[in-house]
Amino acid sequence: MSIGHTLLGLLESGPRHGYDLKRAFDEKFGHDRPLHYGQVYSTMSRLLKNGLVEVEGVEPGEGPERKRYAITEAGITDVRRWLATPEKPEPYLQSTLYTKVVLALLTNRNAAEILDTQRSEHLRMMRILTDRKRKGDLADQLICDHALFHLEADLRWLELTAARLDKLAAEVAR
């Protein structure tokens, strides 16, 4: 996720302080990974330097001064361009799990056991996500669905690989 673009997008609804941006980010996108304050302020500093935001006002506080950031026209253009650019699909061609299976076969270890252990871990995570989805709001449901669909694809791969394990072992042994 592009934190800079996300913060810019949040600023399109109106100027905000760094604290307000962090809170909005965490509420909408950071359920599992809240932003650190330092990350917000370093990102805002970079956006300011690049002309994508400007400081609309500074207010004194008990601690450091509170800057209120506003998005610039260049920032709006940048967000528009980012939103219109499709994300590169991740083909997972360098799978750690595939590497483990092949290395197990090369070293005469039990590759089927590795697949079984991984299947159990995937199913455990799917139960957790399904429970979270059931209890969550629409945003949480959609995020969990995305993760669940990826885990389901992994499970299909695990089953297919288990079914082809003897063939893979023969090829690896060459």
Side-chain angles (χ1 to χ4, degrees), residues 5-25 44 52-57 67-73 76 79:
H5 286 110
T6 305
L7 294 176
L8 283 172
L10 290 171
L11 282 172
E12 281 201 53
S13 65
R16 299 181 190 214
H17 296 97
Y19 174 83
D20 297 327
L21 283 168
K22 180 207 174 339
R23 192 174 44 180
F25 181 97
M44 295 312 296
L52 302 176
V53 298
E54 60 191 8
V55 176
E56 185 184 73
K67 294 178 185 174
R68 189 172 47 256
Y69 298 96
I71 191 168
T72 63
E73 284 302 317
I76 292 170
V79 171

Side-chain angles (χ1 to χ4, degrees), residues 5-157:
H5 286 110
T6 305
L7 294 176
L8 283 172
L10 290 171
L11 282 172
E12 281 201 53
S13 65
R16 299 181 190 214
H17 296 97
Y19 174 83
D20 297 327
L21 283 168
K22 180 207 174 339
R23 192 174 44 180
F25 181 97
D26 290 351
E27 182 181 298
K28 300 285 185 201
F29 311 107
H31 293 225
D32 295 319
R33 279 189 176 163
L35 280 180
H36 296 287
Y37 284 105
Q39 195 171 12
V40 172
Y41 293 111
S42 66
T43 301
M44 295 312 296
S45 177
R46 181 176 41 80
L47 295 173
L48 187 63
K49 181 177 137 193
N50 292 335
L52 302 176
V53 298
E54 60 191 8
V55 176
E56 185 184 73
V58 178
E59 300 168 8
E62 290 181 21
E65 293 179 327
R66 296 183 61 198
K67 294 178 185 174
R68 189 172 47 256
Y69 298 96
I71 191 168
T72 63
E73 284 302 317
I76 292 170
T77 300
D78 197 51
V79 171
R80 184 181 302 121
R81 188 177 314 121
W82 178 69
L83 289 173
T85 304
E87 290 298 308
K88 182 181 176 187
E90 295 293 332
Y92 300 110
L93 293 177
Q94 292 296 322
S95 167
T96 302
L97 187 53
Y98 173 77
T99 301
K100 286 183 173 187
V101 170
V102 170
L103 284 175
L105 293 171
L106 285 171
T107 59
N108 296 315
R109 290 186 172 91
N110 189 341
E113 189 175 294
I114 290 171
L115 293 170
D116 288 341
T117 300
Q118 192 62 50
R119 183 182 305 105
S120 295
E121 186 60 20
H122 271 61
L123 291 171
R124 184 188 71 77
M125 181 55 67
M126 289 176 83
R127 283 190 296 275
I128 291 168
L129 288 169
T130 300
D131 186 54
R132 176 177 166 181
K133 177 182 164 180
R134 190 175 15 260
K135 295 174 183 173
D137 61 10
L138 181 59
D140 228 19
Q141 291 168 13
L142 290 170
I143 289 168
C144 289
D145 279 339
H146 186 263
L148 285 164
F149 293 150
H150 282 273
L151 290 170
E152 286 174 6
D154 287 349
L155 281 176
R156 287 194 309 271
W157 181 85

